[in-house]
Amino acid sequence: MEIDSISGEGRMERKKRELRQKIINVAMKLFEQQGFSNTTMEQIAEEADVARKTLYNYFPVKEAIANEYVRGISTQMAEEALAKLQKLPDTRSRLLKALNNAYGWVELNPELTGIVLAYRFKTSYYSYDKNQDSKNEFQERGTYRIIAEIIRQGQQSGEIRSDVHFKWLVRYVDLLRGTIVWEWLQDTSSFELREEISRMVDIVLDGIRSDDKRSK
Amino acid sequence: MEIDSISGEGRMERKKRELRQKIINVAMKLFEQQGFSNTTMEQIAEEADVARKTLYNYFPVKEAIANEYVRGISTQMAEEALAKLQKLPDTRSRLLKALNNAYGWVELNPELTGIVLAYRFKTSYYSYDKNQDSKNEFQERGTYRIIAEIIRQGQQSGEIRSDVHFKWLVRYVDLLRGTIVWEWLQDTSSFELREEISRMVDIVLDGIRSDDKRSK
DNA sequence: GCATATAATTATACAATGTGTAAAAAAATT
DNA sequence: AATTTTTTTACACATTGTATAATTATATGC
């Protein structure tokens, strides 16, 4: 079955990948033109020239299309960012840099960000329906990947405590980041995004206890 | 309009409240008998003897019914718990006690817990559709209310840092708690719920930095 | 009490979602 | 070239959620 696993990929696999990409492109074009909620799966199928059912074979819900598109961008940005992060001196600066990095895009694409954030929470929280994504969603991609790398590095260097599995630490940071971004999207004038993120990083690093009450 | 705002409430308001409750009761009964996803809004409307549209006037989606039911229980438990918490000596013990408190119920009702958790994230994260709940959802009810009380108290006593708005602190704790519970629901054998919660409380209180690297 | 305004419920219709089934088409395997 | 496997498709279906306008129930002013 998996003959051309590395070199080529077989006509079938290639066609599937191409169609998948075509769907994403078509859908994103429609979303841009008419807005996300005004675009139906029917339209997307029509425009991509496949049966509606086929579209559903590729993406079980509309949000999944947007998600995959954003994930692509995010993964790409992550790779570029990772290299630069090595030069920074400590975990705090790396975290701040990494988290702040993505906001330019977020600010330009608030609606899409909202949709994708919502979808990710939904699938990661509501996977009584187990599609293959649900578990991998929070896996090592995009911002999650960067955070994971930073935490891992922090644990190796002894900067971050090692008595908690890094999986949890990463999840926490990613989740809190998501919450802040979302809150900000709701009302962009209510607070300064970067400021709040910075405060969050402080909390995660140092905890919420008053300094003067700290043991030692 | 609001004549009987305190004593009675007017026939109309009373009837609405009664019908609302009836719907919840009927729905919960059906959920128990046939499972959540096997129960349709049609059935619920039928059984409650109202038009489907009326049902939708009360609850825009099925999950909202389960949510309101759980919120009732949760609010009730919260009130009982709050009194006892005062006796505990510090924030850590109060947080642990409060968070651990609800798990008996969670363990007995994993499916419902999952549905409600998912719904809350969805509505709090995906409120491009603004129903009245979306903003109040995370307001002072249930576990959220307890956490808020504990944090508030901690800030007053100087135990918790006051340079961050308590709204965020509460949200963080509540969110992290939700995540852990969810993860645990996915595979109840993968870790000890109370242990992980305890670790999370430690992190929130003291941060993720290694003790030996801590300033001061 | 009666008339009138207000609000809730209803029947009806509709667009859209998401799924199941079985047949057709395409690709891979022998 | 014949086969097996996979994918796409057409079709049908139950369900969701919303919009509209008619009907009914409740509240309010007289």
Side-chain angles (χ1 to χ4, degrees):
Chain A
M1 196 190 266
E2 286 282 306
I3 293 180
D4 323 70
S5 56
I6 296 178
S7 61
E9 33 177 7
R11 202 198 321 277
M12 208 157 174
E13 254 117 53
R14 202 193 67 241
K15 285 211 166 184
K16 278 182 73 173
R17 191 173 47 73
E18 284 171 356
L19 179 50
R20 198 177 184 84
Q21 193 54 54
K22 184 181 180 190
I23 290 173
I24 294 175
N25 294 340
V26 161
M28 291 310 302
K29 195 191 75 187
L30 288 174
F31 294 162
E32 231 172 281
Q33 285 172 357
Q34 333 171 341
F36 180 80
S37 59
N38 291 330
T39 305
T40 71
M41 292 293 264
E42 183 77 53
Q43 278 182 300
I44 297 169
E46 183 59 33
E47 194 83 5
D49 198 29
V50 292
R52 197 162 61 91
K53 185 67 223 268
T54 306
L55 175 53
Y56 275 105
N57 286 346
Y58 283 81
F59 299 98
V61 291
K62 199 166 51 168
E63 283 81 359
I65 307 177
N67 180 49
E68 192 153 318
Y69 170 75
V70 171
R71 198 165 62 178
I73 291 179
S74 176
T75 303
Q76 199 183 324
M77 295 200 331
E79 292 309 319
E80 294 169 12
L82 262 177
K84 296 182 188 166
L85 289 177
Q86 308 302 330
K87 295 171 188 161
L88 294 172
D90 58 5
T91 299
R92 183 186 302 263
S93 55
R94 288 194 204 103
L95 264 183
L96 273 178
K97 177 75 177 170
L99 296 180
N100 278 326
N101 205 41
Y103 298 149
W105 190 88
V106 167
E107 282 161 350
L108 286 175
N109 302 274
E111 199 203 3
L112 204 55
T113 303
I115 288 158
V116 169
L117 267 182
Y119 174 73
R120 289 185 186 171
F121 275 96
K122 188 177 159 186
T123 45
S124 95
Y125 268 86
Y126 198 30
S127 36
Y128 278 113
D129 50 335
K130 306 271 185 203
N131 51 41
Q132 74 285 6
D133 281 335
S134 61
K135 277 289 175 186
N136 298 335
E137 195 46 63
F138 273 107
Q139 232 59 324
E140 312 243 334
R141 285 169 176 280
T143 311
Y144 188 95
R145 166 143 159 63
I146 303 189
I147 297 173
E149 200 48 56
I150 294 171
I151 299 284
R152 209 180 278 138
Q153 211 168 313
Q155 281 191 328
Q156 267 173 13
S157 72
E159 213 179 334
I160 302 291
R161 51 197 280 189
S162 299
D163 59 330
V164 184
H165 197 293
F166 99 103
K167 182 189 82 170
W168 286 106
L169 302 181
V170 177
R171 197 173 307 235
Y172 290 171
V173 174
D174 194 39
L175 199 64
L176 298 180
R177 166 195 143 263
T179 308
I180 294 172
V181 170
W182 179 262
E183 282 291 322
W184 180 81
L185 284 175
Q186 302 295 86
D187 178 6
T188 54
S189 64
S190 57
F191 60 87
E192 260 299 318
L193 186 54
R194 284 169 179 76
E195 229 171 77
E196 204 56 53
I197 289 282
S198 159
R199 254 196 287 268
M200 183 272 281
V201 169
D202 280 353
I203 290 177
V204 170
L205 285 173
D206 295 333
I208 66 177
R209 250 205 291 208
S210 299
D211 285 337
D212 56 319
K213 297 269 177 172
R214 211 172 274 298
S215 61
K216 198 185 305 187
Chain B
M1 195 189 266
E2 285 283 305
I3 292 180
D4 325 69
S5 57
I6 298 178
S7 60
E9 32 175 8
R11 202 196 322 277
M12 209 154 168
E13 253 115 54
R14 202 194 65 240
K15 284 210 166 184
K16 279 181 72 172
R17 192 173 46 74
E18 283 172 356
L19 179 50
R20 198 177 184 84
Q21 193 55 54
K22 185 181 178 188
I23 290 172
I24 294 175
N25 293 339
V26 162
M28 291 311 302
K29 195 192 74 187
L30 289 173
F31 293 162
E32 231 171 283
Q33 286 173 356
Q34 332 172 341
F36 180 80
S37 60
N38 292 330
T39 305
T40 69
M41 292 293 262
E42 183 77 54
Q43 280 183 301
I44 297 169
E46 183 60 33
E47 193 84 7
D49 198 29
V50 291
R52 195 162 62 92
K53 183 68 223 257
T54 306
L55 175 54
Y56 274 105
N57 286 346
Y58 282 81
F59 299 98
V61 292
K62 198 165 55 168
E63 283 82 358
I65 307 178
N67 181 49
E68 191 153 319
Y69 171 75
V70 171
R71 197 164 62 177
I73 291 179
S74 176
T75 304
Q76 199 182 326
M77 297 201 328
E79 293 308 319
E80 294 168 12
L82 263 177
K84 295 182 190 166
L85 289 177
Q86 307 304 329
K87 296 173 189 159
L88 294 172
D90 59 5
T91 299
R92 184 185 302 263
S93 54
R94 288 193 204 104
L95 264 182
L96 273 178
K97 176 75 176 172
L99 296 179
N100 278 324
N101 205 42
Y103 298 150
W105 190 87
V106 167
E107 282 161 351
L108 287 174
N109 301 276
E111 199 203 3
L112 206 54
T113 302
I115 290 159
V116 169
L117 267 181
Y119 174 74
R120 290 186 186 171
F121 273 95
K122 188 179 159 187
T123 47
S124 96
Y125 269 87
Y126 197 29
S127 34
Y128 277 113
D129 51 335
K130 305 271 184 199
N131 51 44
Q132 73 286 4
D133 281 336
S134 60
K135 277 288 174 188
N136 298 334
E137 196 45 63
F138 272 108
Q139 231 59 327
E140 313 244 332
R141 286 168 176 279
T143 310
Y144 188 94
R145 166 144 158 62
I146 304 189
I147 297 173
E149 199 49 55
I150 293 171
I151 298 284
R152 209 180 279 139
Q153 212 168 315
Q155 281 191 327
Q156 268 173 13
S157 72
E159 212 179 334
I160 303 292
R161 51 197 280 187
S162 300
D163 58 331
V164 184
H165 197 294
F166 99 103
K167 182 190 82 170
W168 285 105
L169 302 181
V170 178
R171 199 173 305 234
Y172 290 172
V173 174
D174 194 38
L175 201 63
L176 298 181
R177 165 193 145 263
T179 308
I180 295 173
V181 170
W182 179 262
E183 281 291 323
W184 180 81
L185 285 176
Q186 304 294 84
D187 178 5
T188 55
S189 64
S190 57
F191 60 87
E192 260 299 318
L193 186 53
R194 284 166 181 77
E195 230 171 77
E196 205 54 54
I197 289 283
S198 161
R199 254 195 287 266
M200 183 271 282
V201 170
D202 280 353
I203 290 176
V204 170
L205 284 173
D206 296 331
I208 67 178
R209 248 202 296 206
S210 299
D211 285 336
D212 56 318
K213 297 268 177 172
R214 211 172 273 299
S215 61
K216 197 185 306 189

